[in-house]
Amino acid sequence: LIYRQWIGEQRRKIRLILALSQALKRMVGAIRWQRLPFHRVLQEESGRIPGGEFFRKIQDYMESDMTLQQAWIKVFGTIPTGEARDLLCGMELGGDAEQMMGVLHLAAEELRRCGDNLEQQQRQKERVFLTAGGCVTMMMIVILI
């Protein structure tokens, strides 16, 4: 049960990272093709699951007179995965729309790579734990016989 709970938690983290990557890509598309302002893009992303709660919090912080950069760092500083957290908090959200799209696109690609790497590592860990669990079970059966 502990193992299954741990696997579920790790998989949720990976899904969140991949969902945030997709959200950043959608944000780039909305800015580029729909010519939406950034606050409107945040509003659209805030309704999506998973990840929408992060964008909703950013909006809330911005409404309380916090800059976009400060709100972004404060919200994404809570992500449990260190590499993804560092990547998102290290983004420089300033300049014109072209700069913003470039930063968002680059971050989306890096997050996707990070999520893919974590997913691959997770599969390997699951195989090791499954094998170890099978060995322990077999040893217990032998000892009980």
Side-chain angles (χ1 to χ4, degrees), residues 28 32 97-107:
V28 170
R32 175 172 285 139
E98 287 296 320
Q99 289 174 319
M100 186 76 80
M101 286 186 297
V103 167
L104 290 172
H105 179 73
L106 181 61

Side-chain angles (χ1 to χ4, degrees), residues 26-42:
R26 282 191 302 270
M27 292 168 80
V28 170
I31 293 169
R32 175 172 285 139
W33 304 115
Q34 296 174 1
R35 301 284 184 208
L36 294 178
F38 198 73
H39 67 86
R40 178 80 170 103
V41 173
L42 285 174

Side-chain angles (χ1 to χ4, degrees), residues 3-37:
Y3 171 66
R4 198 161 90 176
Q5 184 180 17
W6 177 78
I7 287 175
E9 182 180 322
Q10 296 302 315
R11 287 182 182 177
R12 276 190 295 280
K13 289 178 185 178
I14 293 167
R15 279 194 302 268
L16 175 62
I17 290 170
L18 294 174
L20 289 174
S21 171
Q22 292 171 347
L24 295 180
K25 285 182 182 181
R26 282 191 302 270
M27 292 168 80
V28 170
I31 293 169
R32 175 172 285 139
W33 304 115
Q34 296 174 1
R35 301 284 184 208
L36 294 178

Side-chain angles (χ1 to χ4, degrees), residues 134-145:
C135 290
V136 169
T137 302
M138 292 303 290
M139 286 177 32
M140 292 299 287
I141 290 172
V142 169
I143 290 172
L144 292 174
I145 292 178

